[in-house]
Amino acid sequence: MIASVHGRVAAVSPDGAVVEVGGVGLAVQCTPGTIARLAVGEQARLATSLVVREDSLTLYGFADDDERQLFELLQTANGVGPRLAQAVLAIHPPREVRRAVSMADVKALMQVPGIGKKGAERLILELRDRLGTTATDTQLDGPPLPAGAAPLTPVAPWRDQLSSALVGLGWSSREADTALAALTPVADEQLTSTGRVDVGSLLRQALQLLGRS
């Protein structure tokens, strides 16, 4: 198993990155939130999970070990494969996934493309006793959230994350600034309604905006 990769980021795309390790470029599938933290030419460490199929080997990358562990745990639920597990983490950070499962928040899980009401209920039923807080949650985010509380915003400001991601994908700083200005109302609305900014969602919208211009 390849538990992590550490090296220079050689390329970034909307759905992953290439990290050079020992002269070999490894293609790593990542969520938009993880991609937003990467920059071409910079050193990066990604926790990884290798998914082996008869016709493919796919390496999935994550911001930290906790996110990778949750990715693997999600796949123990009936009907959840690596793509759906990654989609869950693209929409919700690990702590929000734990909150949604522990509080039986069906609507939160249904925000993930590919998960309907029955699928959300099945996830809650099968994973409620397996998911728990980790040392990472306690150290980075403080004590567990009270019921109904919103998760924290990412550590890095969303503007910096989004700008770095767009420049890493080949857009100019001016084009990145244009997208930031257009999406600021969207980010403000997210912050007001959920208490956090979904950088992954903003990155997808920014790519759509720039692709049309």
Side-chain angles (χ1 to χ4, degrees), residues 61-201:
F62 309 93
D64 54 43
D65 295 334
D66 182 41
E67 194 173 72
R68 180 196 64 212
Q69 291 167 4
L70 186 54
F71 168 80
E72 294 172 347
L73 185 58
L74 285 167
Q75 293 177 72
T76 65
N78 185 38
V80 178
R83 290 189 179 277
L84 185 55
Q86 188 182 48
V88 171
L89 292 170
I91 300 299
H92 299 302
R95 195 173 71 176
E96 174 63 9
V97 176
R98 292 190 179 91
R99 186 205 65 79
V101 171
S102 65
M103 300 300 296
D105 190 344
V106 172
K107 290 184 178 180
L109 294 174
M110 287 177 62
Q111 293 175 15
V112 179
I115 295 182
K117 183 178 181 180
K118 289 185 178 179
E121 292 173 342
R122 184 172 61 247
L123 273 176
I124 292 168
L125 179 64
E126 295 186 19
L127 297 180
R128 176 176 286 175
D129 294 334
R130 305 182 203 173
L131 293 181
T133 58
T134 66
T136 302
D137 289 322
T138 303
Q139 292 169 5
L140 294 183
D141 297 335
L145 286 174
L152 297 178
T153 54
V155 174
W158 71 266
R159 292 175 180 275
D160 293 342
Q161 289 189 48
L162 186 57
S163 179
S164 297
L166 292 172
V167 172
L169 288 170
W171 302 99
S172 68
S173 296
R174 178 175 295 180
E175 289 169 324
D177 289 342
T178 299
L180 287 172
L183 292 173
T184 294
V186 179
D188 290 342
E189 183 178 349
Q190 289 181 355
L191 193 58
T192 300
S193 61
T194 68
R196 61 182 289 268
V197 175
D198 185 346
V199 179
S201 171

